[in-house]
Amino acid sequence: MQFSENWLRTMVDPKMTSDELSHMLTMSGLEVEEVEPVAPPFNNVVVAEIREIAKHPDADKLNVCQVDVGTGSLLNIVCGAPNVRVGMKVPCAMVGAILPPGADGKPFEIKIGKLRGVESYGMLCSARELKLSEDHGGLMDLPSDAPVGQNFRDYYQLNDLKFTIKLTPNKADCLSVLGVAREVSALTGTAMHLPEAVVLPVTLQETLPVKVSAPDLCGRFAGRVIRGVNARAATPEWMKQRLERSGQRPISALVDISNYVMLELGRPSHVFDLDKIHGGLEVRWGKAGESLKLLNGNTVEVDDWVGVISDDKEIESLAGIMGGDSTSVTLDTQNIYLEAAFWWPQAIQGRARRFNFSTDAAHRFERGVDFASIVEHIERISALIVEICGGSEQVKLGPVDDQIVNLPQRPPVKLRTARAVKVIGVALDDARIADIFTRLGLQFTQQPGEFLVTPPSYRFDIEIEEDLIEEVARVYGFENIPALPPVAANAMLIAPENQRSLFAVRRLVADQDYQEVVNYSFVEEAWEKDFAGNDAPVKLLNPIASQMSVMRTNLIGSLIANTRYNLNRKLNRVRIFEIGAVYLQDAGVQDGPLEVAGYNQPKRLAALAYGPVAEEQWGQDTRNVDFFDIKADLEALFAPGSLRFVKNEHVALHPGRSANIEFDGKVIGFIGELHPRLQQKYDLPLAPVVFEVDVTALQQVQVPSYQEISKFQAVTRDLALVVKQTVVVQNLLDVFRRETQQNEVCKIVQGFVLFDEYRGKGLEADEKSLAFRFSLQDTQSTLQDDKVEAAMQALVQAASQQFAAKLR
């Protein structure tokens, strides 16, 4: 938003400098991006009148002018401008004047000079020479009432500044000089002086039939017929100045008046050439196959997503965006239809961007424009048209046809004083807040500690309590809010020796040849059913995308998506892991500093391996990763701790190739191969192997303690036991571990491992042979055969009692 400081001060003129005004606006949330002068510095330039003109004796293109500059005597000035004439009033640079720098970058000083033998005591200036515009077609032609001898900077109001403010999308009410003036008045307490509202008498009873067929597009539509306008009338210089200093290029009187009121009051409007309208107008949604040639020369195709204004023959305008070329006003226009409407913001949003352009009208309408003052603004535009384009005797005004169809409801918004104090951090009382609301022009009712505020028709950004708190903070002044450091205990805590950091855990997993990935905690609802069997996930109220609508309860779905992404890019080996939170509904969780009541949010580590177990190489054959490879990786992560794997079914895993993971007697996760059904559904050529464990369990480590190293040789014994095929190896391992811990004879057993499984010849059909290797060692003496045999016999006896095992 760009505007002239002088224009703003005609509405509200606080007793402060330009720098102070800029700072105040910025600190209230209207960030001033740039403040620049409307003209470069120059001096000793006055308004002059050309009294006489004579041809130069030695140059056909030069004239010798007698110029009145208000000093009582005429100056002799040589001029070569093509538009010079007697009686013309122009800016004149006197001798000694310093003009803006030229092409060489140096200021240009006016001196007494001779042009082809004729002395010249000054220079008559064009707009380009004064750096006011790029127009160099001739001298700057000033109005006939310009006072001769007056300083040109004062006459043309060049001691003015252009303010450019950066508005956030919610501050649409400040997209006008009036809106900024309201803010300045509220911030400083200075009274406002608004443009006089002149309601001219109706001198014509003609109306144009208008039908609003889309109340979800247009909530209010007003217009009037105006006949007898002079479209060739010149736009007043004061209006041109304000338009140019607001970034608008003057075009013609009718267009300039419409643009001027948009900048002044924030009211976009449109002027139709009445004689080019066929019948009446209809406000409706577009239809597939319709097209419209716009004022910018583009022809666009519309459909039922775009609002239009059409007559009985064709589309005439894109609703709230841009008018059509077929009914545009020209210099020959004599009769017009002036239209102003309230377009629903959601019916305009995104439509202009669809056609790859933006307009000032669309920029305002998609943010919300005042719907209560439409008739008053039409009267303001009408008064300017009558004043500039013909006068009240020539121009005939029809009545304003105001159709109210569907206006926004303005429910009151509650603000609690205690809540505002807590959010802002400043001790405000009811009286201070009431004063701020009054200065902002917000109507409210008050109870002790509570306000009910009804948003004005021009404020579309006040919907919830936090919006009102923001208004209080803005007017109070962000810079007046003290910057207090937080008061809290500050101590350097030493991490426990028996706990790994998450950083150490990541390094540990990366050492196993896994690469870390980071995914959103938001996932597809179908993933929760497929990978967690969860039919009632935690749903988001406002998801960032339709495929990210629920919170995950495990990490497997995200890893599968990462795998598919890599496979689609021709990578055939994937080893990835993620450490992240999952979100479980748990009524036992209470609110806390890091907890939300009803939801448990533990951190998990999940990993996935797909494809070859190792990169292709000559030293080993290529084979695909399997359950036992990942089981070995998992055991390495927990070493020297010992994991226990218990066969179990999981909704996302292969029924015969999955297990629960136990650590210290607790289930901490699961491991297994992806279920064939999901492998097919997610288009994976091979089945990946995955595991997921509780990070807290992995962070716990045993503190190293001293143990004497035996000086005596270890003994190895192999034990082959025949058991039923239904016997699980893990159960046998549990029996051996219990014996080594409880039976004094078996204390010399240092370790054991399964190294062979056999089924076939020599065994019954329901039997299998399991071979274990035991390592035995004593720290006090060399082992004797009787001790070794006693220990082995105890182990065999325990397996026999538990599982009817027998030596092979």
Side-chain angles (χ1 to χ4, degrees), residues 152-213:
F152 179 71
R153 294 191 70 91
D154 295 336
Y155 169 74
Y156 219 64
Q157 297 184 2
L158 295 180
N159 299 316
D160 189 9
L161 297 174
K162 289 188 292 187
F163 277 59
T164 302
I165 59 176
K166 182 179 180 181
L167 293 175
T168 51
N170 63 318
K171 290 301 292 177
D173 59 299
C174 291
L175 285 168
S176 64
V177 178
L178 172 61
V180 178
R182 286 197 200 102
E183 291 293 313
V184 174
S185 177
L187 294 169
T188 63
T190 307
M192 291 182 62
H193 305 283
L194 299 180
E196 293 184 8
V198 178
V199 179
L200 299 177
V202 174
T203 56
L204 186 70
Q205 297 306 313
E206 180 183 0
T207 60
L208 183 70
V210 177
K211 177 184 179 183
V212 179
S213 302

Side-chain angles (χ1 to χ4, degrees), residues 523-537 551-557 582-584 604 650-653 670 674 677-678 682 692:
V523 298
E524 292 186 41
E525 189 169 358
W527 289 7
E528 277 299 293
K529 186 170 182 61
D530 287 343
F531 299 110
N534 185 7
D535 292 322
M551 306 298 291
R552 63 187 179 184
T553 57
N554 68 32
L555 309 181
I556 303 304
V582 297
Y583 304 87
L584 311 172
R604 299 279 177 83
H650 188 282
V651 65
L653 303 180
F670 56 84
L674 190 67
R677 171 179 56 84
L678 298 179
Y682 290 94
E692 181 174 300

Side-chain angles (χ1 to χ4, degrees), residues 796-807:
V796 172
Q797 185 177 357
S800 177
Q801 291 176 353
Q802 192 74 24
F803 301 108
K806 56 185 179 181
L807 284 173

Side-chain angles (χ1 to χ4, degrees), residues 526-533 554-564 567 576 606-611 625-628 630 648-659 670-692:
W527 289 7
E528 277 299 293
K529 186 170 182 61
D530 287 343
F531 299 110
N554 68 32
L555 309 181
I556 303 304
S558 301
L559 296 184
I560 295 295
N562 298 143
T563 303
R564 292 185 62 197
L567 292 179
I576 54 178
L608 177 148
Y610 176 95
V625 69
D626 61 20
F627 176 94
F628 298 102
I630 307 309
N648 188 50
E649 292 190 4
H650 188 282
V651 65
L653 303 180
H654 193 294
R657 302 174 188 174
S658 61
F670 56 84
I671 182 174
E673 187 178 288
L674 190 67
H675 198 290
R677 171 179 56 84
L678 298 179
Q679 177 188 347
Q680 181 179 14
K681 178 176 179 179
Y682 290 94
D683 195 23
L684 298 172
L686 302 174
V689 184
V690 299
F691 71 78
E692 181 174 300

